[in-house]
Each structure stands twice: as structure tokens, then as C-alpha cells.
Amino acid sequence: MSNRKPGSSPANPYASSKSSGSAVKKQRGSSPTKRWGRFSNTADAGVVSRQNGDDDEGFLGALTSLLDGISKWFRSFSTTRQVRAMQEPPTDAAIRGMDAIRAVKETQYTDAAHEDLLKELWSMLGNDKPYERVSANWGDVGFQGKDPATDFRGMGLLGLQNIVFLVRGHTEECGRIIQQHSAGFPFSIAVINISLYLNQVLTKYPGAVSNWLFVEPTPGTPCDHVAVFNHLFARVFLDFEQFYTNEVKKYLSAGGNPAFVIMQFNPIKDKFNDVIEAQIAAGSFQTTQVAEAMRAAAP
């Protein structure tokens, strides 16, 4: 029998369940911050979120600083190693090589001993006229005067051997250089200047250049030091000619007077020498030009 009082509404058996469900729904949806778990409110979540971002930026900054420090250390180490290499004394093999080059440089030209080299040079440079020891025709192949021996006076026999070696190995290229530049590129003077400069480099930087260039298969084993030097000279001379051509183009495009191109030779040569010394300091000269000369001269 029901205990319901008269006039009252019938009891709803689901009332408590709905109320409880609503309470649960309200509890679940009433505070969105609960979705953040450990954060009590959205403001706290934002603070921690910003802190996380700051932590990330701090980590990246620390990593960047670390990598920058490693890079600076490596550059410092490389520079120190290069400076030490440039200051190293010459090895016994390097001394023998420099002595051999100096001996050829100090040998002065004589007709009886060396005129065959001039005859070969005359022929290789495409001069179809009969050979003349003293002739204005030498000017057509890049010499300064009628007597080619005077152009080699500063470098002795080494200068003559250098130019003969260069033309033997690069006959067409040398012919092009002479024809292309005509009076704007003093061929024989360029040969002498590059030969002289490389001699200075060997003496100035024995540890950085001579020790690399004059390496004997076994200690004391004779090797053709002049052949190695000739190969290095030819490579550097052709590099200089390309450098000179580019610099002249810059000069003319900037409004330079074509009549004064010949006057740009010394400034361009000095600029090229600075480039070579920078390569020596960086170590690239040894691993390119010097290494190539050694491979080419290897038996």
C-alpha cells in the first residue's frame, strides 16, 4: 500500500538519478580547467605554458651558444695549426729542393750551353721565320726586347727553363695568351715575375710550402726538384693569367682607358700575390696547386 499523501505527485523513481546525472554533468562541464589536470585554473595553465616556451627558448639558446663555441674553438685550433705550419723550419728534403732551385736560378744564360732552349721556344711559339738569336721578332712572342736573354737576367737559367716547360706543356694556350693580350700582357715578364715570386714563397714559408713540395720517396733519395717546381710554376702562371684577364675586364668595365691596361700589370700582380698568400695561410694552396705539381712530377 502506498504512503503517498493525497494530492501529491507520484514519485519519480528516476528523479534522484537525473539529479545525480545533472550534477555529474555539471561537475564535468562546470570547470574547463579540470581538463588541464594539475592546473587549478586557466591562468595557471597560461603561466606554465609560457614557462615551457621560455624553457624551450633557453634550451635553444644554450645549444646555439654551445655550437658557436665549438665552431670558434675549431677555427682557433685550425688557425693555430696553420700558423705553426707556416713557422715550421724546412726539412732536410726541403733544403735540398730549395738549394737545387737556387743553383739553377744563379746559373746565367750562355749561348753555347743554352741556345738550344731558345731555338725550341722560337719554334714552339709558332714563329715561322728563320731563327735569329737577336731579333725584333722576339717581341711578337711576348718578349720585351730584341735579345730574349735580357728578359731572364733576374732569374738566370731557371726563368728560361720555366718558360720552355710552360710552352711545351701548354703550347696552344700560350699562343692564345700572347695573341689575346698582345701588348697588354708582357708574356716573358709575367713568367719572370711568377717564377721570382714562387722562389720567394719557398724561402718565406718553408714549413707551409717547401716541406709540402719537396717530399722525397725515402729520405735522401734524389728526386727532380726542378721538375716539381716547373709543374708548380706552370699551374700558378696559368692561374695568374686568368686572374689578370678578369681584373682587366673589371678595369675596363669601370671606365678604364684601354691604352693604360699595361699599367695595371703591377697592381694586378700584387693583388694576385695577396691571394696566393691567403691560400697558403688557409692551407688550400698546399692541397691544390702544390699537390697537383707533385702528382704531375711523379715518375
PDB file of all heavy atoms in Angstrom, residues 97-109 114 117 152 154-162 199 224-227 229-230:
ATOM      1  N   GLY A  97     115.797  20.661 -51.894  1.00  0.00           N
ATOM      2  CA  GLY A  97     115.000  21.167 -53.006  1.00  0.00           C
ATOM      3  C   GLY A  97     115.243  22.637 -53.265  1.00  0.00           C
ATOM      4  O   GLY A  97     115.425  23.058 -54.421  1.00  0.00           O
ATOM      5  N   MET A  98     115.258  23.441 -52.207  1.00  0.00           N
ATOM      6  CA  MET A  98     115.497  24.876 -52.376  1.00  0.00           C
ATOM      7  C   MET A  98     116.907  25.147 -52.892  1.00  0.00           C
ATOM      8  O   MET A  98     117.105  26.062 -53.702  1.00  0.00           O
ATOM      9  CB  MET A  98     115.245  25.600 -51.053  1.00  0.00           C
ATOM     10  CG  MET A  98     113.773  25.639 -50.658  1.00  0.00           C
ATOM     11  SD  MET A  98     113.428  26.682 -49.211  1.00  0.00           S
ATOM     12  CE  MET A  98     114.166  25.696 -47.899  1.00  0.00           C
ATOM     13  N   ASP A  99     117.872  24.367 -52.443  1.00  0.00           N
ATOM     14  CA  ASP A  99     119.247  24.524 -52.946  1.00  0.00           C
ATOM     15  C   ASP A  99     119.327  24.216 -54.437  1.00  0.00           C
ATOM     16  O   ASP A  99     120.037  24.902 -55.194  1.00  0.00           O
ATOM     17  CB  ASP A  99     120.201  23.602 -52.177  1.00  0.00           C
ATOM     18  CG  ASP A  99     120.475  24.097 -50.754  1.00  0.00           C
ATOM     19  OD1 ASP A  99     120.158  25.275 -50.468  1.00  0.00           O
ATOM     20  OD2 ASP A  99     120.998  23.307 -49.950  1.00  0.00           O
ATOM     21  N   ALA A 100     118.605  23.197 -54.877  1.00  0.00           N
ATOM     22  CA  ALA A 100     118.612  22.832 -56.295  1.00  0.00           C
ATOM     23  C   ALA A 100     117.997  23.946 -57.142  1.00  0.00           C
ATOM     24  O   ALA A 100     118.522  24.293 -58.214  1.00  0.00           O
ATOM     25  CB  ALA A 100     117.852  21.523 -56.505  1.00  0.00           C
ATOM     26  N   ILE A 101     116.898  24.528 -56.678  1.00  0.00           N
ATOM     27  CA  ILE A 101     116.250  25.622 -57.412  1.00  0.00           C
ATOM     28  C   ILE A 101     117.157  26.841 -57.441  1.00  0.00           C
ATOM     29  O   ILE A 101     117.305  27.514 -58.475  1.00  0.00           O
ATOM     30  CB  ILE A 101     114.896  25.980 -56.768  1.00  0.00           C
ATOM     31  CG1 ILE A 101     113.955  24.778 -56.798  1.00  0.00           C
ATOM     32  CG2 ILE A 101     114.259  27.171 -57.463  1.00  0.00           C
ATOM     33  CD1 ILE A 101     113.666  24.245 -58.168  1.00  0.00           C
ATOM     34  N   ARG A 102     117.797  27.143 -56.318  1.00  0.00           N
ATOM     35  CA  ARG A 102     118.682  28.309 -56.235  1.00  0.00           C
ATOM     36  C   ARG A 102     119.877  28.151 -57.185  1.00  0.00           C
ATOM     37  O   ARG A 102     120.298  29.125 -57.829  1.00  0.00           O
ATOM     38  CB  ARG A 102     119.174  28.491 -54.809  1.00  0.00           C
ATOM     39  CG  ARG A 102     119.969  29.782 -54.596  1.00  0.00           C
ATOM     40  CD  ARG A 102     120.438  29.923 -53.159  1.00  0.00           C
ATOM     41  NE  ARG A 102     119.331  29.865 -52.223  1.00  0.00           N
ATOM     42  CZ  ARG A 102     119.092  28.852 -51.396  1.00  0.00           C
ATOM     43  NH1 ARG A 102     119.897  27.782 -51.398  1.00  0.00           N
ATOM     44  NH2 ARG A 102     118.066  28.873 -50.572  1.00  0.00           N
ATOM     45  N   ALA A 103     120.392  26.936 -57.296  1.00  0.00           N
ATOM     46  CA  ALA A 103     121.548  26.710 -58.176  1.00  0.00           C
ATOM     47  C   ALA A 103     121.190  26.989 -59.630  1.00  0.00           C
ATOM     48  O   ALA A 103     121.989  27.594 -60.371  1.00  0.00           O
ATOM     49  CB  ALA A 103     122.045  25.271 -58.015  1.00  0.00           C
ATOM     50  N   VAL A 104     119.999  26.572 -60.064  1.00  0.00           N
ATOM     51  CA  VAL A 104     119.580  26.830 -61.450  1.00  0.00           C
ATOM     52  C   VAL A 104     119.326  28.328 -61.644  1.00  0.00           C
ATOM     53  O   VAL A 104     119.682  28.903 -62.683  1.00  0.00           O
ATOM     54  CB  VAL A 104     118.316  26.023 -61.794  1.00  0.00           C
ATOM     55  CG1 VAL A 104     117.880  26.298 -63.235  1.00  0.00           C
ATOM     56  CG2 VAL A 104     118.574  24.536 -61.612  1.00  0.00           C
ATOM     57  N   LYS A 105     118.742  28.961 -60.648  1.00  0.00           N
ATOM     58  CA  LYS A 105     118.462  30.401 -60.726  1.00  0.00           C
ATOM     59  C   LYS A 105     119.742  31.206 -60.860  1.00  0.00           C
ATOM     60  O   LYS A 105     119.792  32.232 -61.557  1.00  0.00           O
ATOM     61  CB  LYS A 105     117.686  30.831 -59.477  1.00  0.00           C
ATOM     62  CG  LYS A 105     117.379  32.315 -59.375  1.00  0.00           C
ATOM     63  CD  LYS A 105     116.571  32.587 -58.124  1.00  0.00           C
ATOM     64  CE  LYS A 105     116.307  34.080 -57.948  1.00  0.00           C
ATOM     65  NZ  LYS A 105     117.546  34.815 -57.579  1.00  0.00           N
ATOM     66  N   GLU A 106     120.791  30.766 -60.196  1.00  0.00           N
ATOM     67  CA  GLU A 106     122.054  31.505 -60.215  1.00  0.00           C
ATOM     68  C   GLU A 106     122.919  31.172 -61.424  1.00  0.00           C
ATOM     69  O   GLU A 106     123.982  31.775 -61.606  1.00  0.00           O
ATOM     70  CB  GLU A 106     122.823  31.230 -58.916  1.00  0.00           C
ATOM     71  CG  GLU A 106     122.129  31.813 -57.686  1.00  0.00           C
ATOM     72  CD  GLU A 106     122.812  31.446 -56.387  1.00  0.00           C
ATOM     73  OE1 GLU A 106     123.781  30.638 -56.431  1.00  0.00           O
ATOM     74  OE2 GLU A 106     122.385  31.945 -55.322  1.00  0.00           O
ATOM     75  N   THR A 107     122.487  30.223 -62.247  1.00  0.00           N
ATOM     76  CA  THR A 107     123.210  29.898 -63.480  1.00  0.00           C
ATOM     77  C   THR A 107     122.788  30.874 -64.568  1.00  0.00           C
ATOM     78  O   THR A 107     121.617  30.904 -64.953  1.00  0.00           O
ATOM     79  CB  THR A 107     122.912  28.451 -63.932  1.00  0.00           C
ATOM     80  OG1 THR A 107     123.289  27.550 -62.897  1.00  0.00           O
ATOM     81  CG2 THR A 107     123.672  28.117 -65.209  1.00  0.00           C
ATOM     82  N   GLN A 108     123.710  31.656 -65.043  1.00  0.00           N
ATOM     83  CA  GLN A 108     123.382  32.657 -66.047  1.00  0.00           C
ATOM     84  C   GLN A 108     123.382  32.039 -67.449  1.00  0.00           C
ATOM     85  O   GLN A 108     124.103  31.083 -67.737  1.00  0.00           O
ATOM     86  CB  GLN A 108     124.367  33.827 -65.978  1.00  0.00           C
ATOM     87  CG  GLN A 108     124.255  34.637 -64.695  1.00  0.00           C
ATOM     88  CD  GLN A 108     122.850  35.185 -64.482  1.00  0.00           C
ATOM     89  OE1 GLN A 108     122.280  35.817 -65.359  1.00  0.00           O
ATOM     90  NE2 GLN A 108     122.297  34.938 -63.287  1.00  0.00           N
ATOM     91  N   TYR A 109     122.561  32.634 -68.315  1.00  0.00           N
ATOM     92  CA  TYR A 109     122.421  32.155 -69.679  1.00  0.00           C
ATOM     93  C   TYR A 109     123.721  32.367 -70.458  1.00  0.00           C
ATOM     94  O   TYR A 109     124.351  33.413 -70.375  1.00  0.00           O
ATOM     95  CB  TYR A 109     121.284  32.902 -70.370  1.00  0.00           C
ATOM     96  CG  TYR A 109     121.154  32.571 -71.840  1.00  0.00           C
ATOM     97  CD1 TYR A 109     120.355  31.520 -72.245  1.00  0.00           C
ATOM     98  CD2 TYR A 109     121.844  33.308 -72.795  1.00  0.00           C
ATOM     99  CE1 TYR A 109     120.242  31.198 -73.590  1.00  0.00           C
ATOM    100  CE2 TYR A 109     121.731  33.002 -74.137  1.00  0.00           C
ATOM    101  CZ  TYR A 109     120.930  31.943 -74.526  1.00  0.00           C
ATOM    102  OH  TYR A 109     120.835  31.634 -75.857  1.00  0.00           O
ATOM    103  N   HIS A 114     122.980  27.072 -73.710  1.00  0.00           N
ATOM    104  CA  HIS A 114     121.530  27.173 -73.548  1.00  0.00           C
ATOM    105  C   HIS A 114     120.776  27.649 -74.783  1.00  0.00           C
ATOM    106  O   HIS A 114     119.551  27.785 -74.724  1.00  0.00           O
ATOM    107  CB  HIS A 114     121.210  28.117 -72.372  1.00  0.00           C
ATOM    108  CG  HIS A 114     121.966  27.786 -71.119  1.00  0.00           C
ATOM    109  ND1 HIS A 114     122.744  28.697 -70.450  1.00  0.00           N
ATOM    110  CD2 HIS A 114     122.085  26.615 -70.431  1.00  0.00           C
ATOM    111  CE1 HIS A 114     123.304  28.121 -69.394  1.00  0.00           C
ATOM    112  NE2 HIS A 114     122.920  26.859 -69.368  1.00  0.00           N
ATOM    113  N   LEU A 117     117.608  25.842 -76.093  1.00  0.00           N
ATOM    114  CA  LEU A 117     116.321  26.112 -75.456  1.00  0.00           C
ATOM    115  C   LEU A 117     115.611  27.280 -76.134  1.00  0.00           C
ATOM    116  O   LEU A 117     114.384  27.251 -76.339  1.00  0.00           O
ATOM    117  CB  LEU A 117     116.515  26.412 -73.965  1.00  0.00           C
ATOM    118  CG  LEU A 117     116.925  25.236 -73.071  1.00  0.00           C
ATOM    119  CD1 LEU A 117     117.216  25.716 -71.654  1.00  0.00           C
ATOM    120  CD2 LEU A 117     115.836  24.171 -73.060  1.00  0.00           C
ATOM    121  N   PHE A 152     115.589  37.255 -69.011  1.00  0.00           N
ATOM    122  CA  PHE A 152     115.804  36.219 -68.000  1.00  0.00           C
ATOM    123  C   PHE A 152     116.924  36.562 -67.030  1.00  0.00           C
ATOM    124  O   PHE A 152     117.263  35.747 -66.172  1.00  0.00           O
ATOM    125  CB  PHE A 152     116.126  34.881 -68.677  1.00  0.00           C
ATOM    126  CG  PHE A 152     115.043  34.385 -69.584  1.00  0.00           C
ATOM    127  CD1 PHE A 152     115.249  34.296 -70.940  1.00  0.00           C
ATOM    128  CD2 PHE A 152     113.812  34.024 -69.076  1.00  0.00           C
ATOM    129  CE1 PHE A 152     114.242  33.839 -71.788  1.00  0.00           C
ATOM    130  CE2 PHE A 152     112.801  33.579 -69.904  1.00  0.00           C
ATOM    131  CZ  PHE A 152     113.015  33.481 -71.264  1.00  0.00           C
ATOM    132  N   GLY A 154     117.160  38.351 -64.416  1.00  0.00           N
ATOM    133  CA  GLY A 154     116.863  38.304 -62.987  1.00  0.00           C
ATOM    134  C   GLY A 154     116.699  36.900 -62.435  1.00  0.00           C
ATOM    135  O   GLY A 154     116.885  36.689 -61.236  1.00  0.00           O
ATOM    136  N   MET A 155     116.343  35.944 -63.298  1.00  0.00           N
ATOM    137  CA  MET A 155     116.090  34.582 -62.825  1.00  0.00           C
ATOM    138  C   MET A 155     117.052  33.563 -63.412  1.00  0.00           C
ATOM    139  O   MET A 155     116.922  32.372 -63.163  1.00  0.00           O
ATOM    140  CB  MET A 155     114.654  34.173 -63.167  1.00  0.00           C
ATOM    141  CG  MET A 155     113.595  34.908 -62.358  1.00  0.00           C
ATOM    142  SD  MET A 155     113.761  34.655 -60.581  1.00  0.00           S
ATOM    143  CE  MET A 155     113.454  32.899 -60.467  1.00  0.00           C
ATOM    144  N   GLY A 156     118.023  34.023 -64.184  1.00  0.00           N
ATOM    145  CA  GLY A 156     119.015  33.120 -64.731  1.00  0.00           C
ATOM    146  C   GLY A 156     118.399  32.024 -65.598  1.00  0.00           C
ATOM    147  O   GLY A 156     117.358  32.216 -66.238  1.00  0.00           O
ATOM    148  N   LEU A 157     119.026  30.862 -65.556  1.00  0.00           N
ATOM    149  CA  LEU A 157     118.565  29.753 -66.379  1.00  0.00           C
ATOM    150  C   LEU A 157     117.187  29.257 -65.949  1.00  0.00           C
ATOM    151  O   LEU A 157     116.431  28.738 -66.766  1.00  0.00           O
ATOM    152  CB  LEU A 157     119.581  28.619 -66.310  1.00  0.00           C
ATOM    153  CG  LEU A 157     119.275  27.363 -67.132  1.00  0.00           C
ATOM    154  CD1 LEU A 157     119.163  27.694 -68.617  1.00  0.00           C
ATOM    155  CD2 LEU A 157     120.344  26.298 -66.902  1.00  0.00           C
ATOM    156  N   LEU A 158     116.832  29.443 -64.667  1.00  0.00           N
ATOM    157  CA  LEU A 158     115.540  28.954 -64.178  1.00  0.00           C
ATOM    158  C   LEU A 158     114.390  29.600 -64.929  1.00  0.00           C
ATOM    159  O   LEU A 158     113.421  28.928 -65.291  1.00  0.00           O
ATOM    160  CB  LEU A 158     115.405  29.225 -62.680  1.00  0.00           C
ATOM    161  CG  LEU A 158     114.125  28.704 -62.025  1.00  0.00           C
ATOM    162  CD1 LEU A 158     114.060  27.183 -62.117  1.00  0.00           C
ATOM    163  CD2 LEU A 158     114.038  29.157 -60.565  1.00  0.00           C
ATOM    164  N   GLY A 159     114.494  30.900 -65.197  1.00  0.00           N
ATOM    165  CA  GLY A 159     113.433  31.590 -65.925  1.00  0.00           C
ATOM    166  C   GLY A 159     113.249  31.036 -67.318  1.00  0.00           C
ATOM    167  O   GLY A 159     112.108  30.841 -67.773  1.00  0.00           O
ATOM    168  N   LEU A 160     114.355  30.751 -67.979  1.00  0.00           N
ATOM    169  CA  LEU A 160     114.280  30.187 -69.332  1.00  0.00           C
ATOM    170  C   LEU A 160     113.691  28.772 -69.286  1.00  0.00           C
ATOM    171  O   LEU A 160     112.840  28.418 -70.115  1.00  0.00           O
ATOM    172  CB  LEU A 160     115.669  30.170 -69.973  1.00  0.00           C
ATOM    173  CG  LEU A 160     115.769  29.547 -71.370  1.00  0.00           C
ATOM    174  CD1 LEU A 160     114.833  30.241 -72.358  1.00  0.00           C
ATOM    175  CD2 LEU A 160     117.223  29.594 -71.882  1.00  0.00           C
ATOM    176  N   GLN A 161     114.128  27.973 -68.317  1.00  0.00           N
ATOM    177  CA  GLN A 161     113.577  26.623 -68.196  1.00  0.00           C
ATOM    178  C   GLN A 161     112.078  26.669 -67.883  1.00  0.00           C
ATOM    179  O   GLN A 161     111.310  25.851 -68.397  1.00  0.00           O
ATOM    180  CB  GLN A 161     114.323  25.848 -67.108  1.00  0.00           C
ATOM    181  CG  GLN A 161     115.738  25.443 -67.504  1.00  0.00           C
ATOM    182  CD  GLN A 161     116.377  24.523 -66.487  1.00  0.00           C
ATOM    183  OE1 GLN A 161     115.846  24.300 -65.391  1.00  0.00           O
ATOM    184  NE2 GLN A 161     117.540  23.986 -66.823  1.00  0.00           N
ATOM    185  N   ASN A 162     111.680  27.608 -67.057  1.00  0.00           N
ATOM    186  CA  ASN A 162     110.261  27.743 -66.725  1.00  0.00           C
ATOM    187  C   ASN A 162     109.418  28.022 -67.954  1.00  0.00           C
ATOM    188  O   ASN A 162     108.385  27.377 -68.183  1.00  0.00           O
ATOM    189  CB  ASN A 162     110.054  28.886 -65.722  1.00  0.00           C
ATOM    190  CG  ASN A 162     110.497  28.564 -64.313  1.00  0.00           C
ATOM    191  OD1 ASN A 162     110.715  29.460 -63.508  1.00  0.00           O
ATOM    192  ND2 ASN A 162     110.639  27.286 -63.994  1.00  0.00           N
ATOM    193  N   ASN A 199     109.795  31.582 -55.932  1.00  0.00           N
ATOM    194  CA  ASN A 199     111.061  31.413 -55.223  1.00  0.00           C
ATOM    195  C   ASN A 199     111.010  32.072 -53.851  1.00  0.00           C
ATOM    196  O   ASN A 199     111.491  31.524 -52.857  1.00  0.00           O
ATOM    197  CB  ASN A 199     112.215  32.007 -56.048  1.00  0.00           C
ATOM    198  CG  ASN A 199     112.843  30.999 -56.981  1.00  0.00           C
ATOM    199  OD1 ASN A 199     113.822  30.346 -56.633  1.00  0.00           O
ATOM    200  ND2 ASN A 199     112.274  30.854 -58.156  1.00  0.00           N
ATOM    201  N   ASP A 224     113.733  14.897 -58.822  1.00  0.00           N
ATOM    202  CA  ASP A 224     113.889  16.023 -59.738  1.00  0.00           C
ATOM    203  C   ASP A 224     113.178  17.239 -59.160  1.00  0.00           C
ATOM    204  O   ASP A 224     112.009  17.496 -59.449  1.00  0.00           O
ATOM    205  CB  ASP A 224     113.332  15.653 -61.118  1.00  0.00           C
ATOM    206  CG  ASP A 224     113.802  16.624 -62.193  1.00  0.00           C
ATOM    207  OD1 ASP A 224     114.209  17.746 -61.834  1.00  0.00           O
ATOM    208  OD2 ASP A 224     113.754  16.263 -63.385  1.00  0.00           O
ATOM    209  N   HIS A 225     113.895  17.970 -58.334  1.00  0.00           N
ATOM    210  CA  HIS A 225     113.311  19.141 -57.682  1.00  0.00           C
ATOM    211  C   HIS A 225     112.877  20.190 -58.693  1.00  0.00           C
ATOM    212  O   HIS A 225     111.837  20.840 -58.523  1.00  0.00           O
ATOM    213  CB  HIS A 225     114.312  19.755 -56.700  1.00  0.00           C
ATOM    214  CG  HIS A 225     114.786  18.808 -55.646  1.00  0.00           C
ATOM    215  ND1 HIS A 225     116.018  18.199 -55.692  1.00  0.00           N
ATOM    216  CD2 HIS A 225     114.191  18.349 -54.515  1.00  0.00           C
ATOM    217  CE1 HIS A 225     116.179  17.423 -54.638  1.00  0.00           C
ATOM    218  NE2 HIS A 225     115.076  17.494 -53.902  1.00  0.00           N
ATOM    219  N   VAL A 226     113.656  20.373 -59.744  1.00  0.00           N
ATOM    220  CA  VAL A 226     113.332  21.391 -60.746  1.00  0.00           C
ATOM    221  C   VAL A 226     112.053  21.019 -61.494  1.00  0.00           C
ATOM    222  O   VAL A 226     111.234  21.885 -61.812  1.00  0.00           O
ATOM    223  CB  VAL A 226     114.510  21.590 -61.729  1.00  0.00           C
ATOM    224  CG1 VAL A 226     114.134  22.600 -62.825  1.00  0.00           C
ATOM    225  CG2 VAL A 226     115.754  22.068 -60.982  1.00  0.00           C
ATOM    226  N   ALA A 227     111.866  19.733 -61.752  1.00  0.00           N
ATOM    227  CA  ALA A 227     110.642  19.298 -62.440  1.00  0.00           C
ATOM    228  C   ALA A 227     109.409  19.611 -61.592  1.00  0.00           C
ATOM    229  O   ALA A 227     108.395  20.084 -62.112  1.00  0.00           O
ATOM    230  CB  ALA A 227     110.710  17.801 -62.743  1.00  0.00           C
ATOM    231  N   PHE A 229     109.154  21.951 -59.321  1.00  0.00           N
ATOM    232  CA  PHE A 229     108.986  23.406 -59.334  1.00  0.00           C
ATOM    233  C   PHE A 229     108.391  23.869 -60.662  1.00  0.00           C
ATOM    234  O   PHE A 229     107.546  24.768 -60.689  1.00  0.00           O
ATOM    235  CB  PHE A 229     110.324  24.095 -59.085  1.00  0.00           C
ATOM    236  CG  PHE A 229     110.225  25.598 -59.045  1.00  0.00           C
ATOM    237  CD1 PHE A 229     109.839  26.247 -57.878  1.00  0.00           C
ATOM    238  CD2 PHE A 229     110.499  26.361 -60.167  1.00  0.00           C
ATOM    239  CE1 PHE A 229     109.730  27.631 -57.837  1.00  0.00           C
ATOM    240  CE2 PHE A 229     110.389  27.751 -60.137  1.00  0.00           C
ATOM    241  CZ  PHE A 229     110.004  28.387 -58.961  1.00  0.00           C
ATOM    242  N   ASN A 230     108.828  23.281 -61.765  1.00  0.00           N
ATOM    243  CA  ASN A 230     108.292  23.651 -63.074  1.00  0.00           C
ATOM    244  C   ASN A 230     106.784  23.410 -63.157  1.00  0.00           C
ATOM    245  O   ASN A 230     106.034  24.227 -63.701  1.00  0.00           O
ATOM    246  CB  ASN A 230     108.992  22.868 -64.183  1.00  0.00           C
ATOM    247  CG  ASN A 230     110.324  23.476 -64.591  1.00  0.00           C
ATOM    248  OD1 ASN A 230     110.555  24.671 -64.406  1.00  0.00           O
ATOM    249  ND2 ASN A 230     111.219  22.655 -65.124  1.00  0.00           N
TER     250      ASN A 230
END
